[in-house]
Amino acid sequence: NVDFVIQTPTSVASVKGTDFWLISDPISGDEIIGIEGVITLTNSETGEEVEVTEGNSGISNPDGSVVLEETDPNSIPEDPSDEQEGPSQVRIYLDGPNGEQRVIVIDYQ
């Protein structure tokens, strides 16, 4: 049972009750940093996949390759919600075809 799926031009990440970071770049590819739980990272070009778990990073490249490696703790972004009390937000930034930037804001408690 998959709870949440993230799709980028390079990859599909199936998230199963976990905490993770997704860093996506259309040129260099996608990186999933596993904090807790399991993420199945699948490269859209080749179908190659890896299971990303706590302490590991999965990298999906535009050439179709997928790599699993131990996470460098210094590569984990700061989580602003760690210090925040009360309602939290998720912001998703999107670049439109004409260069305009849009943001989707999700408020949650």
Side-chain angles (χ1 to χ4, degrees), residues 69-85:
E69 59 187 36
E70 188 174 336
T71 300
D72 173 0
N74 296 322
S75 72
I76 300 172
E78 287 281 328
D79 188 348
S81 66
D82 283 347
E83 298 176 12
Q84 184 177 4
E85 292 185 24

Side-chain angles (χ1 to χ4, degrees), residues 1-6 13-17 20 92:
N1 224 1
V2 174
D3 297 325
F4 189 70
V5 175
I6 299 171
S14 300
V15 182
K16 301 168 182 107
F20 67 98
I92 302 170

Side-chain angles (χ1 to χ4, degrees), residues 31-90:
E31 179 179 8
I32 294 281
I33 299 173
I35 304 298
E36 181 181 322
V38 178
I39 304 100
T40 302
L41 178 62
T42 306
N43 185 281
S44 298
E45 183 73 25
T46 62
E48 187 178 342
E49 67 181 36
V50 293
E51 295 282 319
V52 182
T53 56
E54 180 179 340
N56 292 300
S57 294
I59 299 158
S60 179
N61 296 297
D63 69 3
S65 64
V66 179
V67 178
L68 184 66
E69 59 187 36
E70 188 174 336
T71 300
D72 173 0
N74 296 322
S75 72
I76 300 172
E78 287 281 328
D79 188 348
S81 66
D82 283 347
E83 298 176 12
Q84 184 177 4
E85 292 185 24
S88 297
Q89 275 188 352
V90 172

